[in-house]
Amino acid sequence: MLKRFNILLIEPSDLIADGFTALLEESGNFVISNRLSSIAEFNKKEHSGTDLTIVDTIALKFDQYSEVRSIIPSETSSHIVALITTLPNNKRLHLFDSYFSIWDNRKEIIEKLLLLFNNEDTPDNKTIEDRNALSQREKEVLVAVAAGLTNKEIADKLHLSIHTVTTHRKNISRKTGINSISGLTVYAIINKLVDLHDL
Amino acid sequence: MISSSSRLADVINQTPCILSVIDRLNIRLGFHDATIRDICNRYGFSVELLTSIFNIYAHNGYEPQIDALSKQDILKLVKYLQTSHRYYSKKSFPKLHRKIHLLLKKGDASNAQILHKFYDDYSEELAHHFLFEETTVFPYVKRLLSNTVKVESRFDIYSFAQNHTNIEEKLSDLKNILLKYLPEDYPSALRIDLLNNIYAIEQDLARHTIIEDKMLIPAIIRLETISGRK
């Protein structure tokens, strides 16, 4: 996990840009390789090889939300994430791969960004079965759910934020087709992830 | 859309699951070419009540017109829902349970143990939900109809609707476990029979829930407004 992801930051405020740069670089996973004050400064050639573009929604005009993917093509930057510093246009946030707000804490921000790179394998070269297989982390969460732990307890035990635990749980249910806690317990036992006597 | 002039035989041929509905409405087979209106006259239902129930079963996304329901209809609706509960708890689910038992005998003991526990918890939840409707919801509707409700006897109809979601969720989990995750060595014929059974119950319960959520609950809210309670 020591690969460092290159970030292009589009942020008009120096204060936010500098604070954000410090916060991300401290995590060791990210490097801010470029910072622009407006989206007009973006240049496909100059900024190619970016892993992740983070755009402050304040730098986007209303009609630019829907064009953000054509302005910043995926060849240049594989992910685009919205940074929310003002009241955003919520209806348009789904156009981004993810989003976070200046009110999110350090842990939440880093985890949201890392989640983007968790399933890096492109869907095309994986079978549906592979894609639906639980990741190691998801298995750990599942075992904890089966043991009857609450989201808060799971977060503490696995050193995750509650938000990330919820995301894992949603993914587990989406992948397995099982939603209830008791159903997930049955799944964990049938698949021998836990032993009945350990519960 | 099913209307007063539809023939009951056509309705059932097109939507066979209505067969168990007419059983619960106490409508006897052997009705020749009777239309819905004929049946209503014979058994004392209003056309609005019967077509609403049938259309919920026959058409996904159908929105029943509850404004057309009289107090008499709401009483009959409650009676139908009570009969349905008896049908589920005395017939459908015990049958399902017997089949699960037969299937689980054929495999791993710890799988059997955990699945029996899952099913027992589910039955208990279901029984609890039905009991709540029998002892709280239905009597409340009857008191509303006869104008004898006390303010403190109100209950939260919204948590009631949430309960429905939980019940459907568990049945769907059970279905996926039996379909996808129980190992291959269980006998297929038993397993398929059991799954067909679950699909039928799932469909029936989903429609039953729509009847409660889209007919009974709006009827309760309307009655509450009329009696100046909300």
Side-chain angles (χ1 to χ4, degrees):
Chain A
M1 200 40 170
L2 273 172
K3 172 172 164 40
R4 283 158 65 103
F5 299 106
N6 288 321
I7 293 186
L8 167 65
L9 176 64
I10 305 177
E11 170 56 66
S13 150
D14 285 341
L15 193 63
I16 294 176
D18 288 355
F20 191 63
T21 305
L23 185 153
L24 279 191
E25 294 193 342
E26 198 182 305
S27 77
N29 298 107
F30 300 99
V31 181
I32 308 277
S33 40
N34 279 294
R35 182 247 166 151
L36 310 175
S37 312
S38 81
I39 202 154
E41 295 168 33
F42 176 78
N43 180 310
K44 274 186 214 172
K45 278 205 186 110
E46 199 180 316
H47 301 121
S48 67
T50 303
D51 294 311
L52 169 64
T53 301
I54 296 175
V55 195
D56 189 335
T57 50
I58 210 171
L60 293 173
K61 293 198 196 74
F62 178 76
D63 51 357
Q64 280 180 323
Y65 274 83
S66 49
E67 287 165 15
V68 86
R69 251 303 163 209
S70 44
I71 302 173
I72 305 171
S74 48
E75 306 88 76
T76 315
S77 167
S78 42
H79 301 283
I80 302 182
V81 172
L83 163 58
I84 300 161
T85 53
T86 55
L87 280 181
N89 179 347
N90 284 324
K91 288 222 163 75
R92 299 260 163 145
L93 284 176
H94 70 274
L95 295 165
F96 296 89
D97 298 319
S98 179
Y99 54 85
F100 58 95
S101 120
I102 45 167
W103 302 111
D104 285 339
N105 65 35
R106 177 179 285 120
K107 203 173 176 186
E108 285 166 342
I109 294 175
I110 303 287
E111 278 175 13
K112 275 189 193 170
L113 297 182
L114 283 176
L115 267 185
L116 291 172
F117 297 98
N118 253 355
N119 293 315
E120 259 316 45
D121 309 85
T122 47
D124 311 338
N125 53 31
K126 284 191 139 194
T127 65
I128 291 178
E129 190 157 14
D130 285 340
R131 261 182 281 156
N132 275 347
L134 298 183
S135 70
Q136 194 49 42
R137 200 45 142 181
E138 285 163 350
K139 282 182 187 163
E140 287 166 22
V141 172
L142 174 63
V143 168
V145 171
L149 268 59
T150 64
N151 283 355
K152 171 88 178 64
E153 289 164 342
I154 298 172
D156 290 346
K157 189 179 169 197
L158 301 177
H159 309 291
L160 299 169
S161 74
I162 293 190
H163 174 83
T164 307
V165 174
T166 326
T167 307
H168 283 311
R169 286 190 61 168
K170 274 189 203 140
N171 287 338
I172 292 168
S173 290
R174 179 177 51 79
K175 287 177 173 180
T176 59
I178 297 176
N179 288 289
S180 65
I181 293 177
S182 43
L184 288 169
T185 309
V186 176
Y187 175 92
I189 287 171
I190 289 183
N191 287 292
K192 311 216 180 308
L193 296 172
V194 274
D195 195 275
L196 188 56
H197 305 289
D198 295 339
L199 293 183
Chain B
M1 216 51 84
I2 298 163
S3 71
S4 60
S5 56
S6 310
R7 292 187 313 168
L8 185 56
D10 296 339
V11 169
I12 293 171
N13 278 328
Q14 270 174 25
T15 314
C17 56
I18 290 182
L19 207 46
S20 91
V21 178
I22 66 158
D23 183 33
R24 283 175 258 161
L25 287 166
N26 255 324
I27 297 171
R28 313 276 305 164
L29 299 182
F31 36 68
H32 294 258
D33 283 321
T35 61
I36 300 294
R37 182 176 303 286
D38 298 334
I39 295 289
C40 284
N41 289 340
R42 195 177 309 163
Y43 289 93
F45 296 110
S46 77
V47 167
E48 289 75 20
L49 179 67
L50 219 53
T51 52
S52 294
I53 295 177
F54 288 171
N55 276 316
I56 284 175
Y57 273 84
H59 302 284
N60 279 332
Y62 170 78
E63 293 286 333
Q65 290 302 314
I66 64 125
D67 289 347
L69 297 184
S70 68
K71 286 191 169 186
Q72 226 12 265
D73 288 333
I74 297 172
L75 264 182
K76 293 232 154 130
L77 179 65
V78 168
K79 189 163 177 234
Y80 166 74
L81 293 170
Q82 283 176 312
T83 317
S84 295
H85 286 176
R86 264 200 305 281
Y87 175 84
Y88 296 134
S89 48
K90 299 267 184 284
K91 267 190 177 163
S92 318
F93 282 100
K95 195 160 114 193
L96 190 66
H97 197 181
R98 277 196 300 278
K99 288 183 179 173
I100 290 178
H101 195 79
L102 271 178
L103 182 74
L104 292 181
K105 273 204 305 203
K106 311 281 182 186
D108 179 82
S110 67
N111 285 352
Q113 194 181 337
I114 189 71
L115 264 164
H116 274 306
K117 181 170 181 333
F118 178 85
Y119 187 81
D120 290 345
D121 290 349
Y122 174 68
S123 321
E124 203 171 299
E125 202 174 312
L126 196 71
H128 187 79
H129 175 70
F130 285 163
L131 190 70
F132 174 71
E133 297 192 346
E134 298 291 335
T135 56
T136 309
V137 184
F138 297 157
Y140 178 68
V141 180
K142 287 180 183 162
R143 286 200 303 278
L144 269 176
L145 287 169
S146 59
N147 274 324
T148 54
V149 158
K150 295 190 197 77
V151 180
E152 63 273 21
S153 67
R154 278 213 64 204
F155 67 94
D156 183 4
I157 22 180
Y158 298 99
S159 67
F160 168 65
Q162 173 58 38
N163 238 323
H164 281 155
T165 321
N166 298 342
I167 282 171
E168 288 178 16
E169 187 180 278
K170 290 233 171 91
L171 193 61
S172 156
D173 286 354
L174 179 65
K175 179 188 70 183
N176 277 324
I177 289 166
L178 294 172
L179 181 69
K180 293 167 71 181
Y181 302 119
L182 207 60
E184 288 176 351
D185 42 15
Y186 287 82
S188 283
L190 264 177
R191 197 162 167 173
I192 290 170
D193 183 38
L194 174 56
L195 275 167
N196 274 326
N197 220 302
I198 296 180
Y199 288 124
I201 294 182
E202 193 179 34
Q203 233 200 6
D204 197 348
L205 268 185
R207 300 294 153 75
H208 178 80
T209 301
I210 295 174
I211 293 176
E212 295 195 340
D213 291 353
K214 299 230 161 136
M215 291 177 75
L216 185 69
I217 292 179
I220 293 176
I221 294 173
R222 197 168 58 120
L223 286 172
E224 283 177 336
T225 319
I226 293 169
S227 68
R229 193 153 304 284
K230 224 187 151 200

